[in-house]
């Protein structure tokens, strides 16, 4: 059967004014296959929807490395099974914050950890409390998200490195080309004027010889 691959998933669940905290430490061999997951469904219709969502989520998350796209896919799949008012992802270390919908009173929060590394936090909220069954389904879906998020973060880091000078951290020529084309397109679409300021630093060769090599 298909395994839901994740390593360590910390679960913080908040409903009403009661806080329940626990930690599930698992490896791929500990995760139930689809037949076990499907057996948790209350009827055949829910079982079919659950299997379809898990399979399609796994496949669609493999089709992109862009964090925002991964989260949009995840949000749609969660909402198909468990109605939520909002889904949020945050990685403070990499200054990433993404949210869809308006935050509601009741929420469940999942800390994504893989091999001792924190990948970020996923929070789902809605106006009424989540049932234990709802939380179990969300946990399974979050588990599928962990490896794609890890790959997306690595991809984003590689893109960032490709656009920065390794010594100074300043944008390189590729970053300039991307930025100027983006801003020109933006100015054209909004019918706004665009100004470019070019500064020439005197005797920069001396600075480069002293600090740039």
């Amino acid at each position: 059967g298909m395994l839901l691959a994740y390593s360590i998933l910390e679960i913080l669940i908040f409903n009403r004014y009661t806080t329940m905290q626990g930690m599930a430490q698992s490896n791929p061999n500990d995760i139930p296959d689809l037949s076990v997951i499907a057996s948790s469904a209350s009827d055949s219709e829910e079982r079919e929807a659950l299997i379809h969502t898990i399979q399609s989520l796994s496949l669609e998350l493999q089709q992109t490395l862009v964090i925002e796209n991964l989260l949009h896919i995840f949000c749609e799949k969660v909402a198909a099974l468990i109605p939520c008012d909002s889904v949020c992802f945050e990685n403070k270390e990499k200054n990433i914050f993404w949210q869809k919908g308006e935050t509601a009173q009741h929420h469940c929060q999942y800390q994504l950890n893989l091999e001792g590394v924190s990948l970020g936090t996923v929070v789902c909220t809605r106006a009424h409390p989540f049932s234990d069954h709802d939380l179990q389904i969300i946990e399974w879906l979050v588990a599928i998200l962990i490896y794609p998020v890890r790959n997306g973060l690595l991809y984003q880091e590689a893109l960032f490195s490709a656009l920065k000078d390794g010594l100074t951290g300043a944008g390189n020529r590729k970053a300039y080309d991307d930025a100027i084309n983006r801003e020109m397109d933006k100015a054209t679409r909004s019918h706004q004027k665009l100004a470019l300021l070019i500064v020439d630093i005197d005797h920069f060769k001396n600075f480069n010889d002293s600090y740039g090599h």
Side-chain angles (χ1 to χ4, degrees):
M2 188 181 98
L3 296 178
L4 303 182
Y6 74 111
S7 179
I8 298 177
L9 178 64
E10 295 179 358
I11 309 165
L12 302 177
I13 304 169
F14 300 86
N15 271 320
R16 289 188 179 274
Y17 304 105
T18 302
T19 301
M20 299 174 289
Q21 179 174 337
M23 177 182 289
Q25 298 188 9
S26 306
N27 60 60
N29 293 328
D30 295 329
I31 306 305
D33 61 23
L34 276 178
S35 62
V36 176
I37 294 173
S39 66
S40 69
S42 58
D43 54 47
S44 60
E45 183 177 348
E46 183 185 11
R47 180 163 54 252
E48 182 178 341
L50 183 57
I51 292 175
H52 173 74
T53 299
I54 289 176
Q55 289 178 329
S56 61
L57 177 61
S58 299
L59 291 175
E60 291 182 34
L61 289 179
Q62 297 177 34
Q63 298 175 10
T64 181
L65 289 170
V66 179
I67 290 291
E68 291 79 6
N69 294 346
L70 291 171
L71 296 171
H72 273 294
I73 293 170
F74 173 77
C75 185
E76 290 177 357
K77 298 302 180 182
V78 170
L81 291 176
I82 310 296
C84 296
D85 290 325
S86 73
V87 175
C88 168
F89 173 82
E90 184 174 18
N91 183 313
K92 293 182 179 179
E93 180 182 355
K94 298 187 180 300
N95 196 29
I96 299 173
F97 182 84
W98 179 94
Q99 178 169 326
K100 184 173 183 179
E102 296 293 329
T103 302
Q105 178 184 359
H106 303 282
H107 64 282
C108 54
Q109 177 173 316
Y110 301 85
Q111 181 68 37
L112 279 60
N113 291 320
L114 182 61
E115 299 175 354
V117 177
S118 175
L119 303 177
T121 303
V122 171
V123 180
C124 300
T125 77
R126 70 183 185 188
H128 58 283
F130 294 93
S131 68
D132 290 341
H133 184 58
D134 293 337
L135 296 172
Q136 180 63 78
I137 292 176
I138 295 175
E139 179 182 334
W140 285 330
L141 298 182
V142 169
I144 303 174
L145 183 65
I146 292 180
Y147 278 112
V149 165
R150 188 276 306 271
N151 295 338
L153 293 174
L154 291 175
Y155 174 70
Q156 181 170 292
E157 184 177 333
L159 287 180
F160 180 82
S161 298
L163 298 175
K164 297 292 181 180
D165 174 72
L167 180 65
T168 64
N172 57 21
R173 176 57 185 267
K174 178 66 167 58
Y176 166 79
D177 290 340
D178 289 349
I180 194 65
N181 288 330
R182 182 173 61 250
E183 293 304 319
M184 289 177 65
D185 289 341
K186 187 187 302 182
T188 300
R189 289 195 306 270
S190 59
H191 304 288
Q192 298 292 323
K193 295 181 178 179
L194 176 66
L196 175 64
L197 178 65
I198 299 177
V199 179
D200 182 35
I201 303 176
D202 293 337
H203 310 298
F204 187 74
K205 182 178 184 305
N206 295 334
F207 181 89
N208 196 43
D209 289 341
S210 299
Y211 302 103
H213 301 289

